[in-house]
Amino acid sequence: MASICQRWFALVLLLMTVAQAKQTICQGSNHLQQKFAYEPTLSFPSKNYPHLAISYDTTSKVSRILAPSSNSAWKIVAGLCGQGFSFESTTQPNHFLRHRHLLLFVDPFVNTALYKNDACFKPVTGLADCNEVSFQSINYPDRFLRHQGYRMKLHQNDGSSLFKNDATFNIQTICHGSNHLQQKFAYEPTLSFPSKNYPHLAISYDTTSKVSRILAPSSNSAWKIVARALWPRVQL
C-alpha cells in the first residue's frame, strides 16, 4: 500500500513539475506578435495531428492540414488590412491564405478591402497550449482558424477541448542555416532544449549536485539566453 501511495505522490510531483516548466517557458501573445514579425518563414503543424500542417491543395486552392510539403511553408508578412499578419504562399508568391464563406483558401491577391480583411489573422496564445498558437480572424474576431475533417475553417470557439485542440498549432521555423540560429538565440528570451531522440527529456540539471542531464521538463530546463559579452572574461 505504501508503495502505491509513493508512486501516486511521485506522479503528482511530476505533473506539477511539467506544469511549472510550461509556465516558465510561455511568453504570452505579445511574444507571439514579436516572433511573427521576426520569423521570415514558418510552418504550423496541428497540435492534435502533429504529422499534418496547415497547407493547401495546389489545384483547388482549398486549405487543409496535410503532410508537410513546400505548400505548408508560409511567408509571414504584415497584415494586408493594416492589422495582424497575413500568410503568403512560398510556392505561389502573391497568393495568400484567406477565408471565404468561413472556409480557407489560398487565393491570388486582389486589391480590395474585402480580400485584405479576409487575409488578416492575429496570432494569440494557443487555446489548448500556451506554448503554441491559435489564429483569430481580424474581421470576425469571435472566430478562429481550426481544422475539421482535415479542412481549414473559421469557427466560433465553443469552449470544447476538441475545438481548442483543433484550433491550436505548433510554430515551426523553416531551416535558414546557422546565421538564422545566431539571430534566433539573440532574440529569444527563454528557451528549452528537448532531446531529439528522447523528446520527453530536455537539457536540465540536478539542483543539489549541479550535474547537467537530460531530465523531465521542469523549471531547471528553462534557460535564459544571454550575450557572451555580459559575462567577464575568465583569466586563465
Side-chain angles (χ1 to χ4, degrees):
M1 184 67 179
S3 177
I4 295 176
C5 290
Q6 288 173 349
R7 289 178 183 176
W8 273 107
F9 182 68
L11 177 60
V12 171
L13 282 179
L14 176 60
L15 292 175
M16 290 175 64
T17 300
V18 171
Q20 183 182 10
K22 282 195 171 187
Q23 187 176 9
T24 302
I25 300 298
C26 289
Q27 304 289 335
S29 58
N30 286 338
H31 179 70
L32 283 174
Q33 300 287 331
Q34 295 169 0
K35 185 177 182 69
F36 271 60
Y38 162 77
E39 296 286 357
T41 312
L42 292 171
S43 179
F44 304 102
S46 164
K47 175 175 176 57
N48 48 357
Y49 292 90
H51 59 293
L52 304 177
I54 297 176
S55 186
Y56 69 98
D57 177 75
T58 304
T59 304
S60 67
K61 310 300 184 187
V62 171
S63 179
R64 308 178 186 276
I65 52 170
L66 300 170
S69 71
S70 56
N71 283 356
S72 56
W74 301 94
K75 180 180 178 182
I76 309 303
V77 300
L80 299 177
C81 65
Q83 301 180 59
F85 296 90
S86 295
F87 306 139
E88 183 178 4
S89 168
T90 57
T91 53
Q92 292 187 293
N94 215 35
H95 286 62
F96 294 85
L97 186 69
R98 58 86 61 102
H99 63 82
R100 279 195 278 123
H101 307 295
L102 305 182
L103 299 175
L104 273 292
F105 297 86
V106 174
D107 286 341
F109 176 74
V110 179
N111 191 19
T112 64
L114 176 63
Y115 181 100
K116 293 175 183 178
N117 285 318
D118 288 350
C120 286
F121 304 93
K122 178 183 177 181
V124 298
T125 302
L127 298 177
D129 189 329
C130 69
N131 289 292
E132 299 184 322
V133 66
S134 294
F135 298 107
Q136 184 179 18
S137 169
I138 291 294
N139 54 350
Y140 291 91
D142 62 330
R143 296 177 183 270
F144 294 82
L145 294 188
R146 63 90 59 96
H147 63 80
Q148 188 179 53
Y150 300 104
R151 185 159 185 176
M152 292 300 301
K153 303 179 179 181
L154 201 62
H155 276 184
Q156 289 180 317
N157 182 1
D158 62 13
S160 68
S161 58
L162 175 62
F163 179 91
K164 291 177 182 178
N165 280 292
D166 287 351
T168 300
F169 300 88
N170 188 13
I171 304 173
Q172 192 171 84
T173 303
I174 307 300
C175 292
H176 293 288
S178 59
N179 286 339
H180 180 73
L181 284 175
Q182 299 289 331
Q183 295 169 0
K184 184 177 181 68
F185 270 63
Y187 161 78
E188 296 284 357
T190 311
L191 292 172
S192 181
F193 304 100
S195 165
K196 176 174 176 58
N197 50 348
Y198 294 93
H200 60 293
L201 304 177
I203 297 176
S204 186
Y205 68 96
D206 178 76
T207 304
T208 304
S209 67
K210 310 301 183 186
V211 172
S212 180
R213 309 177 187 276
I214 53 169
L215 301 170
S218 72
S219 56
N220 284 357
S221 56
W223 301 93
K224 180 180 179 182
I225 309 303
V226 299
R228 181 181 176 187
L230 294 178
W231 295 95
R233 184 179 297 276
V234 176
Q235 299 295 328
L236 299 178

